[in-house]
Amino acid sequence: MKNITYILYILLFAVISTACEKDNTNDINVPQKVKITESQFSNGLKITLWADQQELTVGYNPIYISLSNASGTVTGKTVHIHPEMDMHSMSHSSPVEQPQYNSISGLYAGAVVFTMHSGEMGSWKLIATVDGQSTTLNITINNPPAGNKKVTSFTGEDGKAYTLSLVEPSTPKIGLNDLEILINRRIDMDTFPTEEGLTIEFEPDMPSMGHGSPNNVHPVGTGKGRYKGKVNFTMTGEWRLQFTIKRGEDVIKENVALELTF
């Protein structure tokens, strides 16, 4: 009788262990990334949204997507993300860089520019589509820390609407920093193509101290709406970056400001 009980115990343990292993294969652990939320498609495929920080904020946000099912990580898919802000009486989207699979990280990496925070005005969600099926990732977008303004929208002298986003420096420091901005044009409430062929000039200054800094390098276009240069921060504190945006010799907009505090 004792032998039978022992055998039944072993069999029960094996069944429980196997079930646990099957359940856990759907859970993906991504070192150095923060899990924001997840959802599931009707076919059982799970999508998980990751970020570099604990929260998503107004401005440019790198995002990462992992896909998994009962067998583990799923790759080789085309992932499409559509950000949508529900403002009760209307809705709008925002600029997005669609996720592309990275074989080194095993994640689909992209970015979203959120132009306003979640709250009484409305709520954000990401509509994810894979293989013709869609699911919703509900998210919260917070304001960045005080003294930081990393995205701004404006209408140019050409009558067109633009969005200017700060990509780098994401962690500013004293000295010379890589400067990278993203410029999108708004066609309608859901369409934000990147804008190429612009000439960008800028000046950093500290409003509270009444000075700027030397040795800055104006951003030049590198493709896909991105412009790269250098910005020199001579001390910590609140900095304002003032951009002049041109097409050829024609000024589209002067004194377009972003702010950084560190």
Side-chain angles (χ1 to χ4, degrees), residues 6-24:
Y6 179 76
I7 292 171
L8 290 174
Y9 177 82
I10 294 297
L11 290 174
L12 179 61
F13 180 80
V15 169
I16 293 173
S17 298
T18 302
C20 290
E21 289 175 1
K22 289 182 178 179
D23 290 341
N24 289 339

Side-chain angles (χ1 to χ4, degrees), residues 8-211:
L8 290 174
Y9 177 82
I10 294 297
L11 290 174
L12 179 61
F13 180 80
V15 169
I16 293 173
S17 298
T18 302
C20 290
E21 289 175 1
K22 289 182 178 179
D23 290 341
N24 289 339
T25 56
N26 198 245
D27 294 328
I28 305 299
N29 182 34
V30 180
Q32 299 180 338
K33 302 299 179 190
V34 178
K35 181 178 176 180
I36 301 298
T37 189
E38 64 185 19
S39 185
Q40 190 162 312
F41 296 91
S42 59
N43 62 1
L45 183 68
K46 186 170 80 173
I47 182 169
T48 305
L49 176 68
W50 307 84
D52 293 321
Q53 308 296 331
Q54 292 289 335
E55 59 184 29
L56 302 173
T57 61
V58 174
Y60 180 90
N61 293 258
I63 61 167
Y64 310 90
I65 297 291
S66 64
L67 301 175
S68 60
N69 58 23
S71 299
T73 302
V74 174
T75 62
K77 302 292 185 181
T78 298
V79 180
H80 182 273
I81 296 293
H82 177 73
E84 184 176 298
M85 175 63 155
D86 181 359
M87 300 184 69
H88 312 303
S89 62
M90 60 167 287
S91 65
H92 66 81
S93 187
S94 64
V96 57
E97 294 177 336
Q98 292 299 332
Q100 302 295 318
Y101 183 69
N102 185 311
S103 59
I104 297 176
S105 67
L107 299 172
Y108 297 80
V112 180
V113 177
F114 296 107
T115 51
M116 58 188 298
H117 67 277
S118 303
E120 293 183 1
M121 292 288 291
S123 58
W124 282 97
K125 62 184 176 182
L126 297 180
I127 301 172
T129 303
V130 177
D131 290 345
Q133 295 195 49
S134 297
T135 189
T136 298
L137 295 160
N138 294 308
I139 53 176
T140 298
I141 307 304
N142 296 293
N143 277 318
N148 289 270
K149 180 184 177 184
K150 298 186 177 183
V151 62
T152 188
S153 298
F154 61 91
T155 299
E157 298 298 329
D158 55 3
K160 298 175 182 178
Y162 296 88
T163 299
L164 170 66
S165 309
L166 183 68
V167 178
E168 295 290 348
S170 55
T171 53
K173 64 182 188 301
I174 294 176
L176 205 60
N177 292 253
D178 290 331
L179 173 66
E180 185 172 8
I181 58 174
L182 173 68
I183 299 182
N184 297 80
R185 184 159 59 93
R186 190 185 74 204
I187 303 299
D188 54 40
M189 300 299 280
D190 287 314
T191 311
F192 298 81
T194 56
E195 193 71 7
E196 313 289 338
L198 302 175
T199 299
I200 311 295
E201 300 173 357
F202 90 104
E203 291 291 338
D205 73 272
M206 295 193 79
S208 63
M209 303 295 290
H211 67 74

